[in-house]
């Protein structure tokens, strides 16, 4: 038995083994067969009633796809959010389960790095606002505006949702997922709120998903949520989240004010108006027209009318706006394979020699090339460390 395993109570080792087994989708019977013991022995080990031998631990770790060191690391966090998502009606299928396991692993990785560096994450959570009886759309509109005010966002466009989620203290991860999965939200007392977003989706949909998950964080914090492409917004919670996103991205007062400015003295809504409004609020053309319809600034069916009459093309947008860069794409490019805070933790852990490049790559589910991107320049930073630039804490 190693020094680390001696320090961990048998109950903690057993619980970590149970989570590793369930994550690897092994039954207790299959695990028992792998190390040639009775199933009741696995039960006793997982309950901490029987101390596991090192050879048994190494065999089980191997078949569970992990390592004995990973299970016994003091700073490791053994979190299992998968069962919570299995209760959701849309949780069937590998796409959701794989995404949940990835979210689970990324949260565990970030908390492990925090523990290794002695860092405590600051939470800046706004008050929860449970959904009340009455019109959920009206409540979503009000809550979205109040959250913008609380964040000090003003009337401007939200081009990148990730920094806002991080500002709230939410753990947010961006990875390429199955196209059916838009995003996940979960909350755990130990690690806080966490969101996983699909990097494969277009910027507009990506941003909408981030705010949709933010709405669940605001209204029903302790209920996990998985947003899929075929989501039916039938429940009050989903209707709330569906109304919260456009209200947050395009605040009613700001839209009305801008609409009045650009349509003053004119008789009809035109493509040019829509292109300008969509650009101002960082929304797709359809999204801004739907928002105008919601706010009764355009008649219901306006978007469908434009679609039937040739639509609003990218060429028409270029004629109005010129060759502008896509601001959302630049934000996505700058984000990199891991969020900035997590990347900084990984770099510091590497500079201090707590983890090798390979260990960090496995921990963060990155390939070696992506890991090198995260660590790029860390050697130079290390060589430039000086008392003058030492942080005060």
């Amino acid at each position: 038995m190693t020094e680390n395993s001696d320090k961990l109570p048998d109950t903690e080792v057993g619980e970590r083994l149970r989570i590793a087994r369930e994550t690897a989708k092994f039954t207790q019977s299959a695990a028992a067969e792998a190390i040639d013991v009775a199933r009741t022995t696995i039960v006793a080990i997982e309950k901490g009633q029987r101390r596991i031998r090192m050879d048994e631990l190494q065999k089980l770790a191997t078949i569970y796809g992990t390592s004995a060191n990973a299970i016994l690391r003091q700073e490791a966090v053994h979190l299992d959010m998968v069962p919570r998502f299995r209760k959701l009606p849309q949780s069937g299928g590998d796409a959701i389960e794989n995404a949940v396991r990835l979210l689970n692993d990324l949260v565990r990785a970030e908390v492990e790095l925090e523990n290794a560096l002695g860092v405590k994450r600051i939470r800046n959570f706004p008050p929860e606002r449970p959904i009340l009886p009455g019109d959920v759309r009206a409540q979503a509109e009000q809550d979205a505006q109040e959250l913008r005010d609380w964040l000090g966002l003003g009337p401007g466009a939200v081009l990148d949702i990730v920094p806002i989620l991080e500002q709230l203290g939410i753990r947010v991860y961006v990875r390429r997922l199955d196209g059916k999965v838009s995003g996940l939200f979960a909350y755990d007392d130990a690690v806080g709120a966490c969101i996983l977003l699909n990097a494969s989706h277009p910027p507009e949909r990506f941003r909408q998903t981030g705010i949709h998950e933010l709405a669940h964080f605001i209204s029903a914090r302790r209920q996990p949520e998985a947003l899929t492409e075929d989501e039916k917004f039938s429940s009050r919670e989903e209707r709330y989240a569906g109304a919260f996103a456009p209200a947050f991205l395009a605040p009613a007062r700001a839209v009305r004010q801008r609409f009045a400015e650009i349509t003053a003295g004119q008789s009809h809504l035109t493509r040019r108006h829509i292109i300008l409004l969509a650009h101002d609020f960082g929304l797709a053309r359809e999204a801004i027209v739907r928002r105008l319809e919601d706010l009764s600034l355009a008649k219901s069916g306006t978007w469908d009318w434009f679609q039937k009459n040739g639509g609003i093309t990218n060429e028409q947008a270029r004629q109005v706006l010129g060759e502008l860069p896509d601001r959302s794409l630049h934000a996505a490019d700058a984000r990199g394979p891991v969020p900035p805070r997590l990347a900084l933790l990984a770099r510091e852990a590497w500079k201090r020699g707590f983890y090798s490049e390979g260990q960090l790559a496995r921990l963060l589910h990155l390939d070696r090339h992506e890991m090198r991107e995260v660590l790029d320049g860390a050697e130079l930073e290390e060589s430039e460390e000086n008392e003058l630039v030492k942080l005060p804490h």
Side-chain angles (χ1 to χ4, degrees), residues 184-258:
L184 303 175
F185 165 75
Y187 183 90
D188 181 271
D189 286 333
V191 302
C194 40
I195 290 175
L196 176 63
L197 301 173
N198 193 339
S200 301
H201 285 173
E204 170 62 22
R205 184 175 171 187
F206 175 89
R207 198 164 49 234
Q208 291 266 1
T209 300
I211 300 173
H212 184 97
E213 303 301 7
L214 175 60
H216 282 278
F217 167 74
I218 293 294
S219 64
R221 196 161 296 177
R222 294 180 183 278
Q223 294 178 20
E225 203 274 334
L227 181 62
T228 56
E229 64 175 357
D230 54 355
E231 187 87 29
K232 306 294 184 190
F233 288 6
S234 53
S235 70
R236 284 174 61 80
E237 289 79 8
E238 288 303 327
R239 292 206 304 277
Y240 173 91
F244 186 95
F248 188 86
L249 286 169
R253 172 168 287 279
V255 172
R256 288 193 171 100
Q257 183 172 346
R258 183 63 178 142

Side-chain angles (χ1 to χ4, degrees), residues 306-321:
F306 276 110
Q307 287 296 94
K308 290 176 184 174
N309 289 276
I312 305 175
T313 66
N314 291 336
E315 178 55 31
Q316 289 167 338
R318 274 193 291 274
Q319 290 172 4
V320 175
L321 301 172

Side-chain angles (χ1 to χ4, degrees), residues 41-322:
T41 301
I42 295 294
V43 174
I45 289 172
E46 291 184 354
K47 288 183 177 179
Q49 296 168 346
R50 192 273 221 183
R51 174 166 287 198
I52 191 168
R53 298 197 305 267
M54 180 50 76
D55 63 319
E56 295 171 335
L57 177 62
Q58 289 172 332
K59 286 181 183 176
L60 287 180
T62 299
I63 66 169
Y64 295 162
T66 181
S67 68
N69 280 338
I71 289 175
L72 297 176
R73 273 202 299 267
Q74 285 284 337
E75 60 273 17
V77 174
H78 291 258
L79 177 71
D80 187 6
M81 295 191 287
V82 176
R84 306 176 200 181
F85 281 87
R86 285 181 180 151
K87 298 175 183 175
L88 300 178
Q90 70 272 42
S91 63
D94 290 340
I96 293 285
E97 178 141 343
N98 291 339
V100 174
R101 291 189 186 284
L102 176 60
L103 173 62
N104 197 81
D105 288 351
L106 292 173
V107 173
R108 284 167 43 188
E110 183 167 11
V111 177
E112 180 172 331
L113 289 172
E114 289 171 355
N115 291 344
L117 294 167
V119 173
K120 186 172 178 59
R121 189 180 184 97
I122 298 172
R123 297 179 185 179
N124 189 30
F125 295 166
E128 192 170 0
R129 296 180 179 278
I131 296 176
L132 302 172
D135 187 344
V136 291
R137 296 181 64 85
Q139 184 185 339
E141 190 82 44
Q142 181 176 345
D143 291 352
Q145 182 60 58
E146 289 181 3
L147 180 61
R148 284 187 67 108
D149 294 342
W150 190 81
L151 288 163
L153 291 179
V158 174
L159 298 177
D160 191 357
I161 186 60
V162 173
I164 292 174
L165 297 174
E166 290 195 312
Q167 181 185 344
L168 292 169
I170 298 173
R171 301 180 188 278
V172 55
Y173 311 98
V174 181
R175 292 296 174 89
R176 294 191 181 279
L177 309 174
D178 186 294
K180 299 175 183 174
V181 183
S182 298
L184 303 175
F185 165 75
Y187 183 90
D188 181 271
D189 286 333
V191 302
C194 40
I195 290 175
L196 176 63
L197 301 173
N198 193 339
S200 301
H201 285 173
E204 170 62 22
R205 184 175 171 187
F206 175 89
R207 198 164 49 234
Q208 291 266 1
T209 300
I211 300 173
H212 184 97
E213 303 301 7
L214 175 60
H216 282 278
F217 167 74
I218 293 294
S219 64
R221 196 161 296 177
R222 294 180 183 278
Q223 294 178 20
E225 203 274 334
L227 181 62
T228 56
E229 64 175 357
D230 54 355
E231 187 87 29
K232 306 294 184 190
F233 288 6
S234 53
S235 70
R236 284 174 61 80
E237 289 79 8
E238 288 303 327
R239 292 206 304 277
Y240 173 91
F244 186 95
F248 188 86
L249 286 169
R253 172 168 287 279
V255 172
R256 288 193 171 100
Q257 183 172 346
R258 183 63 178 142
F259 181 85
E261 289 169 355
I262 66 171
T263 60
Q266 298 163 60
S267 60
H268 290 80
L269 183 67
T270 67
R271 289 175 175 81
R272 180 173 290 269
H273 296 135
I274 293 168
I275 290 167
L276 289 171
L277 284 167
H279 178 260
D280 287 346
F281 290 97
L283 293 178
R285 268 98 72 178
E286 179 178 358
I288 194 64
V289 174
R290 301 291 187 198
R291 184 65 174 145
L292 295 177
E293 292 178 4
D294 287 344
L295 296 174
S296 299
L297 295 172
K299 292 179 181 176
S300 178
T302 296
W303 176 250
D304 296 334
W305 183 89
F306 276 110
Q307 287 296 94
K308 290 176 184 174
N309 289 276
I312 305 175
T313 66
N314 291 336
E315 178 55 31
Q316 289 167 338
R318 274 193 291 274
Q319 290 172 4
V320 175
L321 301 172

Side-chain angles (χ1 to χ4, degrees), residues 385-391:
E385 287 182 354
N386 184 285
E387 279 299 312
L388 190 65
V389 292
K390 189 173 183 179
L391 292 169

